[in-house]
Amino acid sequence: VQQDIYVLKRRVRYLARPNIKPRVRRLTYVNTNGASLRVRDRADKGFPHRNAVFYNTEALLGCFDSMGLNLRARWNQQAYLANALEDAAQWEAAKPENFVFSDQNVRVYLAEMSAAIEGITSVPASFSTGPTRALQH
């Protein structure tokens, strides 16, 4: 097919590259991964497919710029951050009980995300970094 395909890459892998590349004019993977919330089980085994990965919005918007699509004119960073924080809360609530966040910087990242959203002054109490099941405000 005579088309250009852009894949917004948020993980390490190049998903489906061998299957797509021969079928299109151009295949471009754009690294749009930002912060990620990684989980491990209590035996310290990681599960990358269960991680929550957020967009690097500058890379995301830059990708659309390169395609000639000006999303910046309508982009609402506050709305994006609010939705990302809500998604993170839902992700945290849905993760298996035997999984914990593997990074101690999770609290800092979520606090920074929250601080960037007008009107939010603390991280949702549901977020956990381990056995305590709650973050300090």
Side-chain angles (χ1 to χ4, degrees):
V1 177
Q2 291 301 307
Q3 62 184 350
D4 298 339
I5 301 290
Y6 290 82
V7 177
L8 302 177
K9 191 170 163 244
R10 293 186 303 145
R11 303 203 192 281
V12 176
R13 301 177 317 200
Y14 288 85
L15 189 65
R17 181 168 43 188
N19 298 324
I20 298 173
K21 190 172 176 82
R23 295 177 169 90
V24 298
R25 179 178 50 215
R26 184 172 61 173
L27 175 63
T28 304
Y29 285 82
V30 181
N31 184 359
T32 59
N33 62 319
S36 64
L37 304 180
R38 295 185 292 269
V39 294
R40 303 187 83 66
D41 65 11
R42 299 212 188 276
D44 205 31
K45 179 180 177 188
F47 296 86
H49 64 283
R50 290 188 179 266
N51 294 344
V53 182
F54 300 97
Y55 285 114
N56 172 326
T57 55
E58 186 55 38
L60 176 70
L61 294 171
C63 173
F64 284 101
D65 286 347
S66 73
M67 290 187 272
L69 301 170
N70 181 12
L71 295 186
R72 292 176 193 277
R74 300 185 71 123
W75 185 259
N76 183 330
Q77 186 69 5
Q78 293 289 314
Y80 169 75
L81 290 172
N83 283 309
L85 189 60
E86 183 179 326
D87 285 348
Q90 290 175 10
W91 169 84
E92 197 279 338
K95 73 179 175 48
E97 279 293 316
N98 64 326
F99 282 35
V100 296
F101 288 123
S102 65
D103 302 313
Q104 292 305 312
N105 70 347
V106 168
R107 180 180 297 130
V108 172
Y109 172 71
L110 294 173
E112 288 174 352
M113 183 187 287
S114 297
I117 303 170
E118 288 180 23
I120 295 180
T121 58
S122 64
V123 176
S126 66
F127 285 105
S128 66
T129 58
T132 60
R133 296 288 307 149
L135 289 179
Q136 304 294 320
H137 288 276

